[in-house]
Amino acid sequence: MTDSSSPIDHLQTAVRRIEPKRGLPPVEDWRPAREGEIDIRIGRDGRWWYRGSPIERAAMVRLFSTILRKDADGETYLVTPAEKLRIQVDDAHFLVTGLEVEGEGRGQRLHFSTQTGDRVVADAAHPLWVVVNPATGEPAPYLRVRGRLDGLLTRALYYRLVDAAQPETGPSGTELVVYSAGERFVLGSVAGD
C-alpha cells in the first residue's frame, strides 16, 4: 500500500507531534538535517496558500504559524526538529488585526494581536515602524512579532494609531508619535513640514 498523503499532511502531523502544551515551540534552537521547500505562500493580506489554493482551516494556519522562523539569510522557513522547509512570504509574516490601548500618553501600552492569535506589546523588543512607498506615498506600518518575524498592520489599525498620535518635533520636522511601554514610535510626518 502506498502513502497518498500530501507534503502538507506530513508537515501537519509532524507539527502536532511537537506542539507544546503552552507557548511556542523552540524553533530558534532546532537545526534539522533535512532541508527543502514547500509550496506554501503567505500573501500580503495574511492569507496562507498551498499550491495556489488558500488554506481555509484557521486551525491549520495557526498551527503552522507556531513553527515559522526567518533566518539570517532572509528566507522564511517552517521548522520542525526533523526538517526545515522554505516558504514564500509576499510582505510580512502576520497580519496585525487587533489593538487594545492600556493607559494613556507616554505611559500607555499598545497591545496588538495577529490573525493567528499572537499577542504582542509594542516595546523595544517589538518595535513599530512605518515604511512609505516612494512611488505612491502609501504608508505600510509594521510590528516585530517575534524573532525576525514581522506583522503588517491593517489600514484600520494604522488610522486608529494616527488618530491617537501626538505631534512632536523630531529630527525631520513635526512627527506623529505614539508611545508604548516607554518607547517612542514615529508614524509619519505632519504635512507641510
Side-chain angles (χ1 to χ4, degrees), residues 13-188:
T13 301
V15 174
R16 284 216 167 99
R17 271 191 238 120
I18 53 108
E19 189 176 21
K21 299 295 180 222
R22 286 186 162 59
L24 296 167
V27 296
E28 299 298 329
D29 299 335
W30 293 338
R31 304 288 177 257
R34 201 168 46 225
E35 294 186 19
E37 55 185 74
I38 188 168
D39 189 6
I40 290 180
R41 180 176 65 84
I42 303 173
R44 189 169 198 273
D45 62 357
R47 291 192 76 180
W48 285 55
W49 299 79
Y50 175 64
R51 292 185 175 170
S53 297
I55 300 175
E56 300 291 350
R57 292 177 21 212
M60 182 182 289
V61 170
R62 264 192 309 279
L63 186 65
F64 288 160
S65 77
T66 66
I67 60 165
L68 273 178
R69 185 174 86 193
K70 183 176 178 182
D71 285 355
D73 64 4
E75 299 289 341
T76 301
Y77 301 91
L78 294 176
V79 183
T80 71
E83 61 188 344
K84 175 175 144 179
L85 302 172
R86 186 165 52 90
I87 67 168
Q88 298 300 311
V89 180
D90 289 353
D91 188 354
H93 306 91
F94 302 97
L95 185 64
V96 182
T97 57
L99 169 63
E100 294 174 19
V101 179
E102 174 190 350
E104 57 186 49
R106 292 179 184 232
Q108 77 183 355
R109 293 170 61 84
L110 302 174
H111 298 260
F112 292 94
S113 56
T114 70
Q115 90 282 19
T116 56
D118 286 85
R119 296 191 53 78
V120 178
V121 173
D123 60 16
H126 303 95
L128 180 65
W129 72 97
V130 178
V131 175
V132 177
N133 182 317
T136 65
E138 176 114 8
Y142 296 92
L143 173 72
R144 178 62 42 97
V145 176
R146 58 181 138 94
R148 293 183 183 103
L149 304 174
D150 301 325
L152 174 67
L153 277 67
T154 64
R155 185 177 306 272
L157 281 188
Y158 176 65
Y159 289 141
R160 202 170 142 203
L161 284 175
V162 167
D163 283 344
Q166 298 299 315
E168 289 186 2
T169 302
S172 59
T174 304
E175 301 170 327
L176 287 176
V177 174
V178 294
Y179 286 85
S180 180
E183 297 294 321
R184 179 181 187 268
F185 301 107
V186 177
L187 301 179

